Amino acid sequence: MEPSEEQVQAQVKKLQTYITEHYYKCTNEILSGLGVMYTAGGEFTENIDKAGGRGTAVFAAKAIEIYCAG
C-alpha cells in the first residue's frame, strides 16, 4: 500500500475529522505540522511506530503530506 492510495487518504481525512470533533479544529496547516512531528524522532515517532510497526510514522507523515498538498 502506498501513502497516496485512496484508502490511505481516506484514513488521513478520518484522522483530521476525529481531531476536529474531539480536540480542536484541525486545519490542513495543523495536520501538516502533526505529520512533520511524526518523523521528528524521539518518543512521538517511537510511540507511533510501536503502535503500528516500524516505519508507520514515516508512512503516516507522507500520507498526511500528500493529503494536505491536495
Side-chain angles (χ1 to χ4, degrees):
M1 188 163 288
E2 296 295 322
S4 61
E5 290 184 31
E6 187 176 328
Q7 186 178 16
V8 175
Q9 291 298 298
Q11 287 301 115
V12 174
K13 181 166 181 53
K14 278 185 171 181
L15 172 64
Q16 186 179 40
T17 299
Y18 181 86
I19 293 169
T20 295
E21 289 177 354
H22 294 90
Y23 299 104
Y24 50 84
K25 182 169 175 54
C26 186
T27 63
N28 281 6
E29 183 179 0
I30 291 170
L31 186 62
S32 179
L34 287 172
V36 170
M37 288 173 50
Y38 287 0
T39 58
E43 287 185 30
F44 209 10
T45 302
E46 290 170 12
N47 288 335
I48 292 169
D49 282 353
K50 185 176 179 181
R54 187 174 179 192
T56 300
V58 171
F59 182 89
K62 184 63 179 173
I64 290 169
E65 178 184 334
I66 292 165
Y67 178 84
C68 291

